[in-house]
Amino acid sequence: MLNYYQFMVARLNGQDIAKRFSYYRELVKKGVAGFIIFGGELETVRACIGRLQNEAKFPLVISADLERGLGQQLKGGTLFPPAMALGSAYRKAARDMGQDAALRLIRKSFKAVALEAEYAGINTVFAPVLDINTNPNNPIIAVRAFGEDPALVSSLGREMIITLRKYGIAACGKHFPGHGDTGVDSHIKLPVVKQDIRRLKQYELKPFAAAVEAGVKMIMIGHLSVPALDPSGVPVSLSEKAVQFLRKDMGYRGLLITDALNMGGIGRYSEGEAACMALEAGIDILLHPSDPEQLAGYLRDKKVMADPAGLTAFRRSLKPSTEGSRPLFGLHGRLSGRLTEEAVFCSKEFMLKGNLLLVIINDDEDERGAVLRKEIEMQLPGTRIYILRPGTMKRIRKGLKETLALAIFSDTRAWKGGASPWLFRKLSAFRDAADLLISFGSPYLLNGMGNTPCLYVYWEAEEAQKAVVKILKKGCKKVLH
């Protein structure tokens, strides 16, 4: 009888890895394929991963969503700008330094991700995102994509795959066949990709074709209904027709992994039903089951047929140790800062006239923009600053000689469902009065705001907030990408 644990990559909470170590060790003894890491402190997680690897018959798949580097998950790792910011930095660098020099700059960030992942004991990175963000209302991809251009997404995705592999890390391209042209978060419910097969081949599938050509070892299939690949409406992550399209039409020979099984995107199916369908369709790995023991029992009762050969061969090829030398985290941090500054894009020329009136609009309960406020108070005395969050009621009057800048803080986050209606109401209320719009997140939030100058910053790192203050002091010229 098959051991169904061998098809699962289970969740590992880094914050409690030491406390619950016996639980994770028991899963290893039962034969689990590996873990996806969420959170924790670098050295603690690193030490425990090493101990878990020592318990395993074959090297464990130790994976994580490191789209923005090790710091996205582990405290102590470097956090890099999101993919769309890297795409912006690449275009600007290509214009200023040439394409080869721009690629070398971006490769440095991918190398840093690889070196830090290796040090942490992570051997599989769920990146690059190969989605092309063509829908401005996409609530879950947005800045996670390198951009809207198939050539750019293909090129940078390919570079990330090759660079990670060069330093011993397996890349996983996602979310096949493309999650960019959707208006629904697949964490919450099943999105539908309505494009026909011709359009998919001309657009969405190009980055995945480039990834296959580059030798990507793993592809994550999204929880997406794609009638062009499977007219039944079954999520392609559970669809034999979609798997066969990847295998036969696109010539892919690597591993296939579902997106997380605990997501609402599996539609009307239970996790057990979805897991059965996925394995029978030819998927190799079931990602993030809510309860591995329960799922193993369900699959055993159903006597599901599946072939572990590909996954076993993949595991044998992985690095099982955490013996890599300590990376130059300080150097990586400075690289992240440089890329952050390079990425900032100004839509048209802008100069501060008179005193600044800054309105920070934040659709989250957490306090954000502290660095921005501190830097402005030091460098632009006389500035009036207001903070708006859901539930706040403030009347703001613009002085005759004041320049009104709106700074929007809203991130792309799983289960969030996109920016809140409250945020859009606030933007609309200030639309006619604003002299400058600043997005510390998705650039699409500023769509429909007329001809007002826009600063696209893509994320809210300390370096990003400082870069904006420099621009407010000096003004900005339109940057042509």
Side-chain angles (χ1 to χ4, degrees):
M1 182 177 292
L2 279 175
N3 178 351
Y4 291 100
Y5 286 96
Q6 67 184 313
F7 300 104
M8 298 181 207
V9 168
R11 181 186 181 104
L12 188 154
N13 294 317
Q15 294 94 335
D16 64 10
I17 189 172
K19 186 189 303 183
R20 300 192 67 203
F21 184 80
S22 60
Y23 165 74
Y24 297 121
R25 181 171 56 193
E26 189 61 28
L27 284 178
V28 172
K29 288 181 178 180
K30 290 177 178 179
V32 73
F35 299 97
I36 175 172
I37 297 172
F38 290 93
E41 189 277 327
L42 171 55
E43 295 298 337
T44 301
V45 171
R46 178 177 185 264
C48 290
I49 286 173
R51 291 171 61 192
L52 290 174
Q53 287 286 19
N54 290 335
E55 300 278 351
K57 180 179 179 181
F58 305 119
L60 295 167
V61 178
I62 303 296
S63 61
D65 289 310
L66 302 187
E67 298 167 22
R68 293 182 294 150
L70 189 65
Q72 183 176 344
Q73 298 299 337
L74 298 185
K75 186 177 180 180
T78 304
L79 188 63
F80 281 94
M84 192 169 284
L86 294 183
S88 179
Y90 168 76
R91 291 192 298 270
K92 189 186 293 186
R95 182 204 64 201
D96 295 341
M97 305 184 299
Q99 188 173 18
D100 290 343
L103 275 177
R104 286 195 296 272
L105 175 63
I106 302 302
R107 279 191 203 116
K108 288 181 180 179
S109 69
F110 299 153
K111 177 182 176 181
V113 173
L115 294 177
E116 293 190 14
E118 178 189 32
Y119 179 76
I122 294 168
N123 52 38
T124 305
V125 169
F126 291 145
V129 170
L130 298 174
D131 307 315
I132 305 166
N133 200 84
T134 53
N135 186 343
N137 296 318
N138 194 315
I140 188 58
I141 302 302
V143 296
R144 296 171 65 197
F146 287 114
E148 304 170 359
D149 176 25
L152 175 69
V153 176
S154 299
S155 177
L156 296 188
R158 180 179 181 276
E159 290 297 331
M160 187 172 197
I161 290 163
I162 292 172
T163 304
L164 290 179
R165 184 172 67 237
K166 181 179 179 181
Y167 293 95
I169 305 298
C172 175
K174 60 187 186 184
H175 309 81
F176 181 85
H179 202 330
D181 192 12
T182 60
V184 171
D185 178 3
S186 56
H187 291 83
I188 300 172
K189 62 181 181 179
L190 177 65
V192 179
V193 178
K194 299 178 181 179
Q195 307 296 351
D196 61 25
I197 193 65
R198 182 179 178 183
R199 153 75 187 214
L200 288 176
K201 288 180 177 179
Q202 290 178 341
Y203 219 82
E204 279 81 5
L205 292 173
K206 283 193 171 181
F208 291 95
V212 171
E213 185 179 350
V216 68
K217 301 262 187 189
M218 187 184 294
I219 287 178
M220 181 182 292
I221 303 190
H223 295 317
L224 306 164
S225 171
V226 188
L229 298 183
D230 190 333
S232 72
V234 168
V236 289
S237 51
L238 319 178
S239 166
E240 184 177 4
K241 290 181 179 179
V243 169
Q244 289 304 307
F245 180 85
L246 247 175
R247 296 295 192 200
K248 293 181 178 179
D249 291 60
M250 298 189 67
Y252 178 61
R253 298 291 178 264
L255 289 184
L256 294 174
I257 184 171
T258 67
D259 209 338
L261 287 181
N262 69 334
M263 291 168 58
I266 62 174
R268 63 183 183 271
Y269 305 103
S270 68
E271 284 191 34
E273 291 169 331
C276 288
M277 293 171 67
L279 290 177
E280 290 174 344
I283 301 292
D284 300 287
I285 306 175
L286 304 171
L287 178 63
H288 199 318
S290 297
D291 188 329
E293 289 92 347
Q294 186 180 61
L295 182 58
Y298 184 95
L299 294 171
R300 186 167 52 249
D301 291 343
K302 294 295 180 179
K303 297 181 174 61
V304 177
M305 298 302 294
D307 183 2
L311 179 52
T312 301
F314 174 78
R315 289 179 62 183
R316 287 180 184 274
S317 72
L318 294 173
K319 288 187 173 183
S321 68
T322 54
E323 296 177 358
S325 58
R326 185 174 177 82
L328 300 173
F329 290 105
L331 181 64
H332 296 168
R334 290 191 289 276
L335 174 61
S336 176
R338 179 185 174 187
L339 288 167
T340 296
E341 291 196 14
E342 288 282 346
V344 177
F345 171 62
C346 189
S347 68
K348 60 169 54 178
E349 293 188 4
F350 166 81
M351 289 296 295
L352 184 62
K353 297 176 182 178
N355 286 335
L356 178 66
L357 170 59
L358 177 69
V359 177
I360 295 175
I361 302 177
N362 173 16
D363 72 348
D364 203 328
E365 293 182 359
D366 296 334
E367 183 176 345
R368 296 156 84 177
V371 173
L372 179 69
R373 298 199 308 273
K374 180 180 177 181
E375 290 292 314
I376 283 178
E377 288 167 354
M378 289 192 303
Q379 300 191 46
L380 292 170
T383 295
R384 289 197 294 152
I385 301 176
Y386 292 87
I387 302 171
L388 299 183
R389 287 196 207 128
T392 59
M393 297 289 291
K394 291 184 180 180
R395 292 180 61 85
I396 300 172
R397 294 184 180 276
K398 177 183 176 183
L400 291 175
K401 295 183 179 180
E402 286 182 315
T403 297
L404 173 58
L406 303 184
I408 300 97
F409 287 81
S410 180
D411 54 7
T412 302
R413 190 168 67 241
W415 304 99
K416 183 180 178 182
S420 67
W422 171 88
L423 184 144
F424 288 108
R425 288 196 298 271
K426 290 300 178 186
L427 283 175
S428 178
F430 284 101
R431 173 178 172 174
D432 295 332
D435 299 301
L436 177 67
L437 301 166
I438 310 165
S439 178
F440 289 96
S442 171
Y444 305 107
L445 295 175
L446 306 186
N447 285 359
M449 296 296 286
N451 294 318
T452 307
C454 297
L455 271 180
Y456 303 111
V457 192
Y458 304 104
W459 72 321
E460 58 183 271
E462 181 176 325
E463 295 84 355
Q465 295 180 53
K466 289 181 178 180
V468 166
V469 177
K470 289 180 184 177
I471 290 172
L472 289 173
K473 287 187 69 176
K474 297 181 180 178
C476 66
K477 294 183 179 180
K478 182 177 180 181
V479 177
L480 299 175
H481 276 347

